[in-house]
């Protein structure tokens, strides 16, 4: 375990620096896994952390270094921060990334949630025993508020719209590589995936090889449409049970 991101980078300077932020119970090999809080008995949303992260760190204060990180991934993390905090976090991410560096973000999409509320005949519920009878859709508006947690980290503090999020990233200086509802984790269509890149140079829109890899990883347009239709169908069937 490392005391800081700078210490980790110094010890891994000859490898790609890839940050898995807010890792929870999902420890990824060949990534620097970062989380802020140890497992709490009240946790029903992120699982038992069998493997400790490589770094215990506050996402809002990772490092003041510049141009040192290749890839950053956050999956269902940013909704646990207020809007102004997310903006500050991404400004720091921009500085951390190398030119051509990539951020892959997945989180709830406010429009996806609201659209599902409109089109589903009844509320679809989780089937897992530890979260049974909790609504899959509207729970994204408030997070795990059924948990009593003194640090408040399970709760959702701001749910972004996809266009709003992408616009703010572009204001910061990022180049949008992909914006889709075909997420890799959690619930497609309800959620969103956004890939952005720190430009290789100020006046060029060229995608780095890293960006091309991650964009390809999400499949072509028709595949992404299929994934979302499949997800909506599953939610529809769950709502009828």
């Amino acid at each position: 375990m490392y005391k800081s991101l700078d210490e980790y980078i110094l010890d891994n300077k000859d490898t790609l620096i890839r940050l898995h932020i807010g890792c929870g119970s999902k420890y990824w090999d060949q990534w620097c896994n970062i989380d802020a809080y140890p497992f709490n008995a009240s946790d029903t949303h992120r699982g038992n952390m069998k493997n400790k992260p490589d770094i215990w760190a506050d996402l809002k204060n990772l490092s003041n270094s510049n141009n040192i990180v290749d890839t950053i991934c956050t999956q269902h993390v940013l909704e646990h921060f207020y809007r102004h905090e997310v903006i500050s976090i991404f400004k720091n991410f921009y500085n951390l990334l190398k030119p051509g560096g990539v951020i892959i973000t997945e989180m709830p999409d406010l429009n996806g949630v609201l659209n599902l509320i409109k089109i589903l005949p009844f509320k679809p519920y989780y089937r897992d025993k530890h979260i049974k009878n909790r609504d899959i859709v509207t729970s994204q508006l408030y997070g795990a508020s059924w948990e009593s947690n003194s640090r408040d980290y399970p709760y959702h503090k701001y749910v972004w719209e996809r266009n709003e999020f992408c616009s703010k990233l572009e204001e910061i200086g990022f180049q949008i590589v992909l914006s889709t509802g075909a997420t890799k984790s959690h619930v497609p269509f309800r959620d969103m995936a956004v890939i952005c890149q720190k430009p290789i140079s100020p006046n060029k829109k060229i995608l780095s090889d890293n960006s091309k890899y991650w964009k390809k990883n999400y499949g072509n347009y028709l595949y992404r449409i299929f994934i979302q239709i499949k997800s909506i169908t599953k939610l529809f069937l769950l709502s009828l049970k």
Side-chain angles (χ1 to χ4, degrees), residues 4 30 35 39 52 54 62 84 91 109 119 122 132 148 157 161 179 187 189-190 201 209 217 220 224 227:
S4 68
Q30 299 180 346
D35 209 295
F39 178 78
K52 292 182 179 179
D54 299 295
L62 282 179
H84 69 90
K91 287 179 179 178
D109 177 2
I119 66 176
F122 305 102
K132 192 175 181 180
S148 176
K157 297 177 179 177
E161 296 176 72
S179 167
V187 182
F189 187 83
R190 184 201 70 181
S201 63
D209 289 341
N217 191 256
N220 62 32
R224 297 196 300 269
I227 289 297

Side-chain angles (χ1 to χ4, degrees), residues 141-172:
L141 298 174
Y142 48 78
S145 293
W146 52 80
E147 297 179 12
S148 176
N149 188 288
S150 60
R151 293 181 172 178
D152 292 348
Y153 63 78
Y155 314 140
H156 291 184
K157 297 177 179 177
Y158 190 81
V159 182
W160 290 79
E161 296 176 72
R162 198 184 336 158
N163 288 339
E164 172 200 14
F165 183 59
C166 290
S167 294
K168 184 53 64 176
L169 292 178
E170 289 177 328
E171 283 182 29
I172 294 170

Side-chain angles (χ1 to χ4, degrees), residues 79-116:
E79 64 271 23
H80 298 276
F81 294 86
Y82 293 113
R83 188 180 191 275
H84 69 90
E85 292 177 318
V86 172
I87 293 169
S88 296
I89 287 166
F90 270 79
K91 287 179 179 178
N92 182 239
F93 284 174
Y94 188 91
N95 294 330
L96 281 172
L97 284 175
K98 299 174 183 176
V102 177
I103 303 176
I104 308 99
T105 298
E106 295 198 6
M107 60 180 171
D109 177 2
L110 181 60
N111 283 333
V113 172
L114 296 179
N115 286 331
L116 286 171

Side-chain angles (χ1 to χ4, degrees), residues 208-225:
S208 66
D209 289 341
N210 197 12
S211 287
K212 291 176 183 177
Y213 168 81
W214 284 105
K215 183 177 182 180
K216 184 178 180 181
N217 191 256
Y218 276 81
N220 62 32
Y221 177 76
L222 290 177
Y223 175 79
R224 297 196 300 269
I225 292 295

